[in-house]
Amino acid sequence: MKKNTEINFEKNKIIVLFNNVIKNQSISLEFMPLNQYQLICSNISITNKSKSLHVNTTDLRKINIHSLVKTSLKLIDKNISLDQKKYNKLNYIYKPSIKVNDITKMINKNIYSNREELLSIYSLLYIYMQRDFGDNISKKIAEKTKYKESYVKNLTKECFSKNYMKNSNKGLAGGILTNKALKALSHL
């Protein structure tokens, strides 16, 4: 019996294979590490598993790429946390060791020494929350951190303006951690 999802760790990329989204088709998503905290989907492919080469457009409309990417990222993180020793032997750049609740506690309990560390930690929280929810992220962060939504929006704006995050590709929500933020996060 074939698994519905498979995760393969290869050199400098992680491939997630979905076998049950479309009948007789397998969908593979290839992820490349951007930094220690972020992965980016670099390739999506559909492979026909049947003898007929017919791919129905109705079946293609069933594919929700956004949810497949979110599911893949969660599966990758869970797979890594289940077998951390084996994953560490592969010497990957991507190491999802910090959880959203840990980051939130750091912000709520003021476990940072200066504004630079706060903005770096907040940038990381923003990216993780954006990955998990996607819509009205300011409201979600405000609920998590117990800050006012207007303050959260100002923090987000400050992180982008002071170069702790840079915009991701046009049309995609979220951001990418910059070297400035990664340097401040290196002590975590």
Side-chain angles (χ1 to χ4, degrees):
M1 186 172 157
K2 199 160 194 171
K3 295 179 183 178
N4 289 335
T5 57
E6 298 174 36
I7 300 174
N8 299 316
F9 295 98
E10 296 180 6
K11 187 173 181 160
N12 296 325
K13 66 181 173 181
I14 301 170
I15 299 173
V16 180
L17 186 68
F18 291 94
N19 294 312
N20 64 341
V21 176
I22 302 174
K23 186 178 179 182
N24 294 326
Q25 309 291 326
S26 64
I27 301 172
S28 67
L29 286 85
E30 183 178 302
F31 292 89
M32 307 287 283
L34 284 175
N35 54 49
Q36 179 179 347
Y37 306 103
Q38 292 179 287
L39 290 174
I40 188 165
C41 184
S42 62
N43 189 11
I44 300 171
S45 61
I46 301 170
T47 307
N48 193 358
K49 296 187 292 186
S50 70
K51 292 183 180 180
S52 75
L53 294 174
H54 182 66
V55 178
N56 194 341
T57 57
T58 308
D59 289 336
L60 289 177
R61 283 188 229 131
K62 291 179 187 176
I63 301 171
N64 184 341
I65 294 172
H66 178 70
S67 65
L68 282 178
V69 169
K70 283 174 65 171
T71 303
S72 298
L73 290 170
K74 287 178 183 178
L75 287 172
I76 290 169
D77 287 352
K78 284 181 183 177
N79 194 303
I80 291 170
S81 66
L82 287 173
D83 199 359
Q84 190 71 44
K85 288 181 183 176
K86 180 180 174 186
Y87 182 76
N88 288 341
K89 289 179 185 176
L90 297 173
N91 290 327
Y92 270 95
I93 297 171
Y94 179 67
K95 296 183 194 287
S97 57
I98 301 174
K99 308 223 179 316
V100 171
N101 290 337
D102 297 336
I103 299 168
T104 307
K105 284 179 189 173
M106 292 172 76
I107 292 173
N108 287 341
K109 293 182 179 181
N110 296 333
I111 304 174
Y112 48 85
S113 58
N114 54 30
R115 186 79 175 170
E116 179 180 306
E117 283 186 16
L118 169 65
L119 293 175
S120 299
I121 293 168
Y122 176 80
S123 297
L124 186 60
L125 176 66
Y126 178 83
I127 286 168
Y128 281 174
M129 295 288 285
Q130 184 69 43
R131 185 179 86 172
D132 291 344
F133 295 106
D135 60 334
N136 200 356
I137 194 67
S138 298
K139 185 177 180 180
K140 299 284 186 188
I141 293 174
E143 290 170 2
K144 202 85 163 143
T145 59
K146 309 292 189 264
Y147 288 156
K148 289 186 178 182
E149 192 172 346
S150 60
Y151 181 68
V152 167
K153 287 180 181 181
N154 288 336
L155 265 178
T156 304
K157 202 180 289 184
E158 187 176 354
C159 287
F160 278 107
S161 67
K162 291 190 175 176
N163 202 25
Y164 288 92
M165 287 189 289
K166 63 182 180 179
N167 287 329
S168 58
N169 294 339
K170 213 171 199 179
L172 293 175
I176 297 171
L177 292 173
T178 62
N179 289 336
K180 186 176 183 180
L182 292 171
K183 188 186 290 182
L185 290 169
S186 64
H187 74 283
L188 297 179

